[in-house]
Amino acid sequence: MSNEFIPVEPTVRSGWRRRQVLSAALGGVAWAVTPAALSQPVSALAEEAKAPPLPELGSALQVPRITRFDGTVYEPAQSQGQVLLVYWWASTCPFCALQSPHMEKLWRSQQARGLQMLALSIDRKPEDATAYLRSRGYSFPSAWASPEWRKAFPKPKGLPITLVRGRDGRVVLAERGQMFPEDVEAIASLV
């Protein structure tokens, strides 16, 4: 049996598999608190309640210009015709902490094949995000999605959020919640 992932069609998931595993591990206890609520400061809860849903598969995804932590600027034109991975995260998010090492591995293995990536931190202060990235040795391209910037590109409800835009500029994968390592690895088949 092969471990290779062959995507049949694009998918939108809401952490279903993760919740099933957690529910089974906890004896079917229902979750009353969302992962996003666990990982964000109280001041962000109101914003999270108003957050839009995941983008529809096949919908156009336009990411506005943003300056990354390393001082370089993400320009929308630079990812035109390329696969773009957009990864929303926070240094306080326990599910992001589990997923980010796999995102780093994906980035390192696929950037030479043309994968474009933009990791968007929703930390309250950019310094918290940069300290987190530095302490873990992450090199994936990241920026601070300030509350002002998020008005132009709102974060969908949940955290982490993983979006993949295909070469045609349309969403081919939208995931809310922590992805399993094999699901992150499978993104490589979309590049």
PDB file of all heavy atoms in Angstrom, residues 55-90:
ATOM      1  N   PRO A  55     -13.191  30.580   2.284  1.00  0.00           N
ATOM      2  CA  PRO A  55     -13.596  30.883   0.903  1.00  0.00           C
ATOM      3  C   PRO A  55     -14.076  29.610   0.200  1.00  0.00           C
ATOM      4  O   PRO A  55     -13.628  28.509   0.514  1.00  0.00           O
ATOM      5  CB  PRO A  55     -12.326  31.439   0.259  1.00  0.00           C
ATOM      6  CG  PRO A  55     -11.208  30.999   1.129  1.00  0.00           C
ATOM      7  CD  PRO A  55     -11.762  30.772   2.496  1.00  0.00           C
ATOM      8  N   GLU A  56     -14.980  29.773  -0.717  1.00  0.00           N
ATOM      9  CA  GLU A  56     -15.513  28.661  -1.489  1.00  0.00           C
ATOM     10  C   GLU A  56     -14.448  28.123  -2.443  1.00  0.00           C
ATOM     11  O   GLU A  56     -13.653  28.887  -2.990  1.00  0.00           O
ATOM     12  CB  GLU A  56     -16.726  29.116  -2.316  1.00  0.00           C
ATOM     13  CG  GLU A  56     -17.909  29.545  -1.495  1.00  0.00           C
ATOM     14  CD  GLU A  56     -18.599  28.376  -0.824  1.00  0.00           C
ATOM     15  OE1 GLU A  56     -18.662  27.288  -1.430  1.00  0.00           O
ATOM     16  OE2 GLU A  56     -19.079  28.562   0.315  1.00  0.00           O
ATOM     17  N   LEU A  57     -14.458  26.809  -2.629  1.00  0.00           N
ATOM     18  CA  LEU A  57     -13.572  26.219  -3.634  1.00  0.00           C
ATOM     19  C   LEU A  57     -13.933  26.786  -4.991  1.00  0.00           C
ATOM     20  O   LEU A  57     -15.097  26.972  -5.318  1.00  0.00           O
ATOM     21  CB  LEU A  57     -13.725  24.704  -3.656  1.00  0.00           C
ATOM     22  CG  LEU A  57     -13.227  23.978  -2.412  1.00  0.00           C
ATOM     23  CD1 LEU A  57     -13.481  22.491  -2.534  1.00  0.00           C
ATOM     24  CD2 LEU A  57     -11.750  24.242  -2.188  1.00  0.00           C
ATOM     25  N   GLY A  58     -12.902  27.086  -5.763  1.00  0.00           N
ATOM     26  CA  GLY A  58     -13.116  27.653  -7.087  1.00  0.00           C
ATOM     27  C   GLY A  58     -13.261  29.156  -7.100  1.00  0.00           C
ATOM     28  O   GLY A  58     -13.263  29.771  -8.164  1.00  0.00           O
ATOM     29  N   SER A  59     -13.376  29.777  -5.916  1.00  0.00           N
ATOM     30  CA  SER A  59     -13.489  31.236  -5.875  1.00  0.00           C
ATOM     31  C   SER A  59     -12.109  31.863  -6.063  1.00  0.00           C
ATOM     32  O   SER A  59     -11.082  31.265  -5.731  1.00  0.00           O
ATOM     33  CB  SER A  59     -14.111  31.700  -4.556  1.00  0.00           C
ATOM     34  OG  SER A  59     -13.286  31.374  -3.457  1.00  0.00           O
ATOM     35  N   ALA A  60     -12.107  33.075  -6.600  1.00  0.00           N
ATOM     36  CA  ALA A  60     -10.850  33.805  -6.788  1.00  0.00           C
ATOM     37  C   ALA A  60     -10.324  34.239  -5.425  1.00  0.00           C
ATOM     38  O   ALA A  60     -11.099  34.581  -4.533  1.00  0.00           O
ATOM     39  CB  ALA A  60     -11.068  35.012  -7.681  1.00  0.00           C
ATOM     40  N   LEU A  61      -9.009  34.200  -5.269  1.00  0.00           N
ATOM     41  CA  LEU A  61      -8.384  34.607  -4.014  1.00  0.00           C
ATOM     42  C   LEU A  61      -7.313  35.641  -4.328  1.00  0.00           C
ATOM     43  O   LEU A  61      -6.299  35.323  -4.954  1.00  0.00           O
ATOM     44  CB  LEU A  61      -7.766  33.399  -3.296  1.00  0.00           C
ATOM     45  CG  LEU A  61      -7.163  33.682  -1.923  1.00  0.00           C
ATOM     46  CD1 LEU A  61      -8.260  34.053  -0.922  1.00  0.00           C
ATOM     47  CD2 LEU A  61      -6.384  32.475  -1.420  1.00  0.00           C
ATOM     48  N   GLN A  62      -7.567  36.864  -3.906  1.00  0.00           N
ATOM     49  CA  GLN A  62      -6.628  37.960  -4.106  1.00  0.00           C
ATOM     50  C   GLN A  62      -6.080  38.387  -2.752  1.00  0.00           C
ATOM     51  O   GLN A  62      -6.834  38.830  -1.893  1.00  0.00           O
ATOM     52  CB  GLN A  62      -7.316  39.152  -4.773  1.00  0.00           C
ATOM     53  CG  GLN A  62      -7.814  38.865  -6.175  1.00  0.00           C
ATOM     54  CD  GLN A  62      -6.659  38.580  -7.125  1.00  0.00           C
ATOM     55  OE1 GLN A  62      -5.599  39.176  -7.034  1.00  0.00           O
ATOM     56  NE2 GLN A  62      -6.869  37.653  -8.044  1.00  0.00           N
ATOM     57  N   VAL A  63      -4.776  38.228  -2.563  1.00  0.00           N
ATOM     58  CA  VAL A  63      -4.130  38.613  -1.312  1.00  0.00           C
ATOM     59  C   VAL A  63      -3.474  39.971  -1.528  1.00  0.00           C
ATOM     60  O   VAL A  63      -2.660  40.131  -2.440  1.00  0.00           O
ATOM     61  CB  VAL A  63      -3.074  37.567  -0.885  1.00  0.00           C
ATOM     62  CG1 VAL A  63      -2.433  37.966   0.434  1.00  0.00           C
ATOM     63  CG2 VAL A  63      -3.705  36.179  -0.789  1.00  0.00           C
ATOM     64  N   PRO A  64      -3.815  40.964  -0.695  1.00  0.00           N
ATOM     65  CA  PRO A  64      -3.227  42.297  -0.865  1.00  0.00           C
ATOM     66  C   PRO A  64      -1.735  42.346  -0.526  1.00  0.00           C
ATOM     67  O   PRO A  64      -1.204  41.462   0.139  1.00  0.00           O
ATOM     68  CB  PRO A  64      -4.007  43.167   0.128  1.00  0.00           C
ATOM     69  CG  PRO A  64      -5.086  42.331   0.694  1.00  0.00           C
ATOM     70  CD  PRO A  64      -4.784  40.906   0.384  1.00  0.00           C
ATOM     71  N   ARG A  65      -1.128  43.396  -0.960  1.00  0.00           N
ATOM     72  CA  ARG A  65       0.288  43.669  -0.689  1.00  0.00           C
ATOM     73  C   ARG A  65       0.506  43.729   0.820  1.00  0.00           C
ATOM     74  O   ARG A  65      -0.312  44.275   1.556  1.00  0.00           O
ATOM     75  CB  ARG A  65       0.621  45.019  -1.324  1.00  0.00           C
ATOM     76  CG  ARG A  65       2.006  45.491  -1.152  1.00  0.00           C
ATOM     77  CD  ARG A  65       2.112  46.891  -1.809  1.00  0.00           C
ATOM     78  NE  ARG A  65       3.478  47.247  -2.041  1.00  0.00           N
ATOM     79  CZ  ARG A  65       4.256  47.862  -1.166  1.00  0.00           C
ATOM     80  NH1 ARG A  65       3.794  48.178   0.023  1.00  0.00           N
ATOM     81  NH2 ARG A  65       5.492  48.166  -1.471  1.00  0.00           N
ATOM     82  N   ILE A  66       1.641  43.153   1.260  1.00  0.00           N
ATOM     83  CA  ILE A  66       1.982  43.189   2.682  1.00  0.00           C
ATOM     84  C   ILE A  66       3.499  43.081   2.823  1.00  0.00           C
ATOM     85  O   ILE A  66       4.155  42.403   2.035  1.00  0.00           O
ATOM     86  CB  ILE A  66       1.260  42.065   3.469  1.00  0.00           C
ATOM     87  CG1 ILE A  66       1.414  42.260   4.986  1.00  0.00           C
ATOM     88  CG2 ILE A  66       1.713  40.688   3.021  1.00  0.00           C
ATOM     89  CD1 ILE A  66       0.507  41.352   5.826  1.00  0.00           C
ATOM     90  N   THR A  67       4.032  43.770   3.826  1.00  0.00           N
ATOM     91  CA  THR A  67       5.462  43.699   4.112  1.00  0.00           C
ATOM     92  C   THR A  67       5.715  42.547   5.074  1.00  0.00           C
ATOM     93  O   THR A  67       5.076  42.440   6.121  1.00  0.00           O
ATOM     94  CB  THR A  67       5.973  45.016   4.718  1.00  0.00           C
ATOM     95  OG1 THR A  67       5.699  46.073   3.797  1.00  0.00           O
ATOM     96  CG2 THR A  67       7.467  44.952   4.993  1.00  0.00           C
ATOM     97  N   ARG A  68       6.659  41.690   4.693  1.00  0.00           N
ATOM     98  CA  ARG A  68       7.012  40.534   5.520  1.00  0.00           C
ATOM     99  C   ARG A  68       7.952  40.969   6.645  1.00  0.00           C
ATOM    100  O   ARG A  68       8.533  42.043   6.610  1.00  0.00           O
ATOM    101  CB  ARG A  68       7.683  39.465   4.662  1.00  0.00           C
ATOM    102  CG  ARG A  68       6.794  38.917   3.568  1.00  0.00           C
ATOM    103  CD  ARG A  68       7.558  37.830   2.787  1.00  0.00           C
ATOM    104  NE  ARG A  68       6.868  37.452   1.586  1.00  0.00           N
ATOM    105  CZ  ARG A  68       7.234  37.790   0.353  1.00  0.00           C
ATOM    106  NH1 ARG A  68       8.312  38.517   0.150  1.00  0.00           N
ATOM    107  NH2 ARG A  68       6.537  37.378  -0.681  1.00  0.00           N
ATOM    108  N   PHE A  69       8.114  40.063   7.610  1.00  0.00           N
ATOM    109  CA  PHE A  69       8.993  40.346   8.746  1.00  0.00           C
ATOM    110  C   PHE A  69      10.421  40.622   8.310  1.00  0.00           C
ATOM    111  O   PHE A  69      11.135  41.380   8.963  1.00  0.00           O
ATOM    112  CB  PHE A  69       8.978  39.181   9.752  1.00  0.00           C
ATOM    113  CG  PHE A  69       7.667  39.049  10.476  1.00  0.00           C
ATOM    114  CD1 PHE A  69       6.997  37.841  10.483  1.00  0.00           C
ATOM    115  CD2 PHE A  69       7.103  40.113  11.161  1.00  0.00           C
ATOM    116  CE1 PHE A  69       5.800  37.693  11.161  1.00  0.00           C
ATOM    117  CE2 PHE A  69       5.900  39.987  11.836  1.00  0.00           C
ATOM    118  CZ  PHE A  69       5.248  38.772  11.843  1.00  0.00           C
ATOM    119  N   ASP A  70      10.871  39.993   7.212  1.00  0.00           N
ATOM    120  CA  ASP A  70      12.260  40.187   6.778  1.00  0.00           C
ATOM    121  C   ASP A  70      12.452  41.478   5.969  1.00  0.00           C
ATOM    122  O   ASP A  70      13.534  41.751   5.481  1.00  0.00           O
ATOM    123  CB  ASP A  70      12.754  38.978   5.983  1.00  0.00           C
ATOM    124  CG  ASP A  70      12.031  38.791   4.653  1.00  0.00           C
ATOM    125  OD1 ASP A  70      11.162  39.617   4.279  1.00  0.00           O
ATOM    126  OD2 ASP A  70      12.338  37.786   3.974  1.00  0.00           O
ATOM    127  N   GLY A  71      11.386  42.274   5.852  1.00  0.00           N
ATOM    128  CA  GLY A  71      11.467  43.548   5.141  1.00  0.00           C
ATOM    129  C   GLY A  71      11.107  43.464   3.673  1.00  0.00           C
ATOM    130  O   GLY A  71      10.925  44.490   3.022  1.00  0.00           O
ATOM    131  N   THR A  72      11.028  42.260   3.103  1.00  0.00           N
ATOM    132  CA  THR A  72      10.608  42.123   1.717  1.00  0.00           C
ATOM    133  C   THR A  72       9.100  42.336   1.635  1.00  0.00           C
ATOM    134  O   THR A  72       8.384  42.241   2.633  1.00  0.00           O
ATOM    135  CB  THR A  72      10.972  40.739   1.140  1.00  0.00           C
ATOM    136  OG1 THR A  72      10.290  39.725   1.881  1.00  0.00           O
ATOM    137  CG2 THR A  72      12.480  40.510   1.189  1.00  0.00           C
ATOM    138  N   VAL A  73       8.632  42.630   0.452  1.00  0.00           N
ATOM    139  CA  VAL A  73       7.212  42.919   0.261  1.00  0.00           C
ATOM    140  C   VAL A  73       6.583  41.838  -0.601  1.00  0.00           C
ATOM    141  O   VAL A  73       7.118  41.486  -1.659  1.00  0.00           O
ATOM    142  CB  VAL A  73       7.019  44.308  -0.396  1.00  0.00           C
ATOM    143  CG1 VAL A  73       5.556  44.590  -0.687  1.00  0.00           C
ATOM    144  CG2 VAL A  73       7.609  45.398   0.495  1.00  0.00           C
ATOM    145  N   TYR A  74       5.461  41.312  -0.132  1.00  0.00           N
ATOM    146  CA  TYR A  74       4.677  40.405  -0.965  1.00  0.00           C
ATOM    147  C   TYR A  74       3.832  41.284  -1.879  1.00  0.00           C
ATOM    148  O   TYR A  74       3.042  42.103  -1.422  1.00  0.00           O
ATOM    149  CB  TYR A  74       3.757  39.505  -0.123  1.00  0.00           C
ATOM    150  CG  TYR A  74       2.742  38.788  -0.986  1.00  0.00           C
ATOM    151  CD1 TYR A  74       3.101  37.653  -1.688  1.00  0.00           C
ATOM    152  CD2 TYR A  74       1.457  39.290  -1.149  1.00  0.00           C
ATOM    153  CE1 TYR A  74       2.198  37.015  -2.522  1.00  0.00           C
ATOM    154  CE2 TYR A  74       0.551  38.662  -1.978  1.00  0.00           C
ATOM    155  CZ  TYR A  74       0.921  37.530  -2.657  1.00  0.00           C
ATOM    156  OH  TYR A  74       0.030  36.907  -3.494  1.00  0.00           O
ATOM    157  N   GLU A  75       4.043  41.130  -3.163  1.00  0.00           N
ATOM    158  CA  GLU A  75       3.248  41.817  -4.179  1.00  0.00           C
ATOM    159  C   GLU A  75       2.363  40.771  -4.839  1.00  0.00           C
ATOM    160  O   GLU A  75       2.851  39.700  -5.227  1.00  0.00           O
ATOM    161  CB  GLU A  75       4.152  42.461  -5.238  1.00  0.00           C
ATOM    162  CG  GLU A  75       5.027  43.575  -4.728  1.00  0.00           C
ATOM    163  CD  GLU A  75       4.274  44.875  -4.461  1.00  0.00           C
ATOM    164  OE1 GLU A  75       3.066  44.961  -4.790  1.00  0.00           O
ATOM    165  OE2 GLU A  75       4.901  45.801  -3.920  1.00  0.00           O
ATOM    166  N   PRO A  76       1.078  41.028  -4.978  1.00  0.00           N
ATOM    167  CA  PRO A  76       0.174  40.044  -5.573  1.00  0.00           C
ATOM    168  C   PRO A  76       0.652  39.510  -6.926  1.00  0.00           C
ATOM    169  O   PRO A  76       0.507  38.322  -7.205  1.00  0.00           O
ATOM    170  CB  PRO A  76      -1.141  40.806  -5.708  1.00  0.00           C
ATOM    171  CG  PRO A  76      -1.078  41.839  -4.633  1.00  0.00           C
ATOM    172  CD  PRO A  76       0.369  42.228  -4.548  1.00  0.00           C
ATOM    173  N   ALA A  77       1.280  40.342  -7.728  1.00  0.00           N
ATOM    174  CA  ALA A  77       1.725  39.910  -9.050  1.00  0.00           C
ATOM    175  C   ALA A  77       2.802  38.833  -8.982  1.00  0.00           C
ATOM    176  O   ALA A  77       2.930  38.020  -9.899  1.00  0.00           O
ATOM    177  CB  ALA A  77       2.238  41.109  -9.848  1.00  0.00           C
ATOM    178  N   GLN A  78       3.575  38.783  -7.884  1.00  0.00           N
ATOM    179  CA  GLN A  78       4.668  37.819  -7.811  1.00  0.00           C
ATOM    180  C   GLN A  78       4.186  36.383  -7.710  1.00  0.00           C
ATOM    181  O   GLN A  78       4.926  35.459  -8.028  1.00  0.00           O
ATOM    182  CB  GLN A  78       5.617  38.148  -6.664  1.00  0.00           C
ATOM    183  CG  GLN A  78       5.110  37.739  -5.293  1.00  0.00           C
ATOM    184  CD  GLN A  78       6.000  38.203  -4.174  1.00  0.00           C
ATOM    185  OE1 GLN A  78       6.307  39.385  -4.054  1.00  0.00           O
ATOM    186  NE2 GLN A  78       6.423  37.284  -3.337  1.00  0.00           N
ATOM    187  N   SER A  79       2.953  36.161  -7.287  1.00  0.00           N
ATOM    188  CA  SER A  79       2.450  34.793  -7.176  1.00  0.00           C
ATOM    189  C   SER A  79       1.464  34.443  -8.290  1.00  0.00           C
ATOM    190  O   SER A  79       0.916  33.349  -8.303  1.00  0.00           O
ATOM    191  CB  SER A  79       1.793  34.575  -5.807  1.00  0.00           C
ATOM    192  OG  SER A  79       0.677  35.418  -5.660  1.00  0.00           O
ATOM    193  N   GLN A  80       1.289  35.352  -9.219  1.00  0.00           N
ATOM    194  CA  GLN A  80       0.390  35.088 -10.337  1.00  0.00           C
ATOM    195  C   GLN A  80       0.925  33.913 -11.160  1.00  0.00           C
ATOM    196  O   GLN A  80       2.104  33.851 -11.486  1.00  0.00           O
ATOM    197  CB  GLN A  80       0.267  36.333 -11.213  1.00  0.00           C
ATOM    198  CG  GLN A  80      -0.822  36.233 -12.244  1.00  0.00           C
ATOM    199  CD  GLN A  80      -1.031  37.567 -12.952  1.00  0.00           C
ATOM    200  OE1 GLN A  80      -0.316  38.534 -12.729  1.00  0.00           O
ATOM    201  NE2 GLN A  80      -2.021  37.596 -13.814  1.00  0.00           N
ATOM    202  N   GLY A  81       0.056  32.955 -11.438  1.00  0.00           N
ATOM    203  CA  GLY A  81       0.453  31.780 -12.197  1.00  0.00           C
ATOM    204  C   GLY A  81       1.191  30.734 -11.381  1.00  0.00           C
ATOM    205  O   GLY A  81       1.667  29.741 -11.925  1.00  0.00           O
ATOM    206  N   GLN A  82       1.331  30.970 -10.076  1.00  0.00           N
ATOM    207  CA  GLN A  82       2.012  30.048  -9.167  1.00  0.00           C
ATOM    208  C   GLN A  82       1.007  29.541  -8.127  1.00  0.00           C
ATOM    209  O   GLN A  82      -0.010  30.177  -7.874  1.00  0.00           O
ATOM    210  CB  GLN A  82       3.156  30.759  -8.429  1.00  0.00           C
ATOM    211  CG  GLN A  82       4.217  31.343  -9.323  1.00  0.00           C
ATOM    212  CD  GLN A  82       5.035  30.268  -9.994  1.00  0.00           C
ATOM    213  OE1 GLN A  82       5.306  29.231  -9.423  1.00  0.00           O
ATOM    214  NE2 GLN A  82       5.433  30.524 -11.231  1.00  0.00           N
ATOM    215  N   VAL A  83       1.335  28.421  -7.517  1.00  0.00           N
ATOM    216  CA  VAL A  83       0.539  27.934  -6.402  1.00  0.00           C
ATOM    217  C   VAL A  83       0.914  28.772  -5.180  1.00  0.00           C
ATOM    218  O   VAL A  83       2.094  28.961  -4.888  1.00  0.00           O
ATOM    219  CB  VAL A  83       0.796  26.436  -6.139  1.00  0.00           C
ATOM    220  CG1 VAL A  83       0.081  25.974  -4.883  1.00  0.00           C
ATOM    221  CG2 VAL A  83       0.359  25.608  -7.342  1.00  0.00           C
ATOM    222  N   LEU A  84      -0.095  29.294  -4.496  1.00  0.00           N
ATOM    223  CA  LEU A  84       0.123  30.133  -3.321  1.00  0.00           C
ATOM    224  C   LEU A  84      -0.512  29.467  -2.105  1.00  0.00           C
ATOM    225  O   LEU A  84      -1.699  29.156  -2.112  1.00  0.00           O
ATOM    226  CB  LEU A  84      -0.483  31.523  -3.516  1.00  0.00           C
ATOM    227  CG  LEU A  84      -0.452  32.456  -2.290  1.00  0.00           C
ATOM    228  CD1 LEU A  84       0.983  32.812  -1.904  1.00  0.00           C
ATOM    229  CD2 LEU A  84      -1.271  33.712  -2.566  1.00  0.00           C
ATOM    230  N   LEU A  85       0.294  29.269  -1.078  1.00  0.00           N
ATOM    231  CA  LEU A  85      -0.171  28.739   0.196  1.00  0.00           C
ATOM    232  C   LEU A  85      -0.278  29.902   1.173  1.00  0.00           C
ATOM    233  O   LEU A  85       0.699  30.610   1.408  1.00  0.00           O
ATOM    234  CB  LEU A  85       0.824  27.703   0.727  1.00  0.00           C
ATOM    235  CG  LEU A  85       0.660  27.212   2.158  1.00  0.00           C
ATOM    236  CD1 LEU A  85      -0.690  26.534   2.359  1.00  0.00           C
ATOM    237  CD2 LEU A  85       1.794  26.269   2.516  1.00  0.00           C
ATOM    238  N   VAL A  86      -1.476  30.129   1.702  1.00  0.00           N
ATOM    239  CA  VAL A  86      -1.710  31.166   2.700  1.00  0.00           C
ATOM    240  C   VAL A  86      -2.010  30.447   4.009  1.00  0.00           C
ATOM    241  O   VAL A  86      -2.929  29.632   4.079  1.00  0.00           O
ATOM    242  CB  VAL A  86      -2.884  32.089   2.306  1.00  0.00           C
ATOM    243  CG1 VAL A  86      -3.128  33.136   3.389  1.00  0.00           C
ATOM    244  CG2 VAL A  86      -2.625  32.758   0.960  1.00  0.00           C
ATOM    245  N   TYR A  87      -1.217  30.746   5.029  1.00  0.00           N
ATOM    246  CA  TYR A  87      -1.306  30.043   6.310  1.00  0.00           C
ATOM    247  C   TYR A  87      -1.467  31.058   7.435  1.00  0.00           C
ATOM    248  O   TYR A  87      -0.552  31.799   7.746  1.00  0.00           O
ATOM    249  CB  TYR A  87      -0.023  29.212   6.497  1.00  0.00           C
ATOM    250  CG  TYR A  87       0.141  28.540   7.832  1.00  0.00           C
ATOM    251  CD1 TYR A  87      -0.857  27.746   8.371  1.00  0.00           C
ATOM    252  CD2 TYR A  87       1.330  28.668   8.539  1.00  0.00           C
ATOM    253  CE1 TYR A  87      -0.682  27.106   9.595  1.00  0.00           C
ATOM    254  CE2 TYR A  87       1.524  28.028   9.754  1.00  0.00           C
ATOM    255  CZ  TYR A  87       0.514  27.254  10.283  1.00  0.00           C
ATOM    256  OH  TYR A  87       0.693  26.619  11.482  1.00  0.00           O
ATOM    257  N   TRP A  88      -2.663  31.128   8.020  1.00  0.00           N
ATOM    258  CA  TRP A  88      -2.933  32.007   9.144  1.00  0.00           C
ATOM    259  C   TRP A  88      -2.538  31.280  10.429  1.00  0.00           C
ATOM    260  O   TRP A  88      -2.941  30.140  10.645  1.00  0.00           O
ATOM    261  CB  TRP A  88      -4.422  32.334   9.212  1.00  0.00           C
ATOM    262  CG  TRP A  88      -4.945  33.176   8.090  1.00  0.00           C
ATOM    263  CD1 TRP A  88      -5.430  32.734   6.893  1.00  0.00           C
ATOM    264  CD2 TRP A  88      -5.073  34.595   8.070  1.00  0.00           C
ATOM    265  NE1 TRP A  88      -5.846  33.798   6.135  1.00  0.00           N
ATOM    266  CE2 TRP A  88      -5.648  34.955   6.834  1.00  0.00           C
ATOM    267  CE3 TRP A  88      -4.764  35.588   8.991  1.00  0.00           C
ATOM    268  CZ2 TRP A  88      -5.926  36.265   6.496  1.00  0.00           C
ATOM    269  CZ3 TRP A  88      -5.038  36.902   8.645  1.00  0.00           C
ATOM    270  CH2 TRP A  88      -5.599  37.230   7.412  1.00  0.00           C
ATOM    271  N   TRP A  89      -1.785  31.947  11.323  1.00  0.00           N
ATOM    272  CA  TRP A  89      -1.313  31.329  12.551  1.00  0.00           C
ATOM    273  C   TRP A  89      -1.120  32.384  13.637  1.00  0.00           C
ATOM    274  O   TRP A  89      -1.185  33.581  13.376  1.00  0.00           O
ATOM    275  CB  TRP A  89       0.014  30.607  12.310  1.00  0.00           C
ATOM    276  CG  TRP A  89       1.136  31.529  11.911  1.00  0.00           C
ATOM    277  CD1 TRP A  89       1.376  32.036  10.656  1.00  0.00           C
ATOM    278  CD2 TRP A  89       2.125  32.095  12.762  1.00  0.00           C
ATOM    279  NE1 TRP A  89       2.465  32.870  10.690  1.00  0.00           N
ATOM    280  CE2 TRP A  89       2.939  32.922  11.966  1.00  0.00           C
ATOM    281  CE3 TRP A  89       2.404  31.973  14.117  1.00  0.00           C
ATOM    282  CZ2 TRP A  89       4.015  33.626  12.493  1.00  0.00           C
ATOM    283  CZ3 TRP A  89       3.486  32.676  14.639  1.00  0.00           C
ATOM    284  CH2 TRP A  89       4.283  33.495  13.813  1.00  0.00           C
ATOM    285  N   ALA A  90      -0.863  31.894  14.860  1.00  0.00           N
ATOM    286  CA  ALA A  90      -0.527  32.776  15.984  1.00  0.00           C
ATOM    287  C   ALA A  90       0.445  32.036  16.891  1.00  0.00           C
ATOM    288  O   ALA A  90       0.383  30.810  17.014  1.00  0.00           O
ATOM    289  CB  ALA A  90      -1.776  33.167  16.768  1.00  0.00           C
TER     290      ALA A  90
END
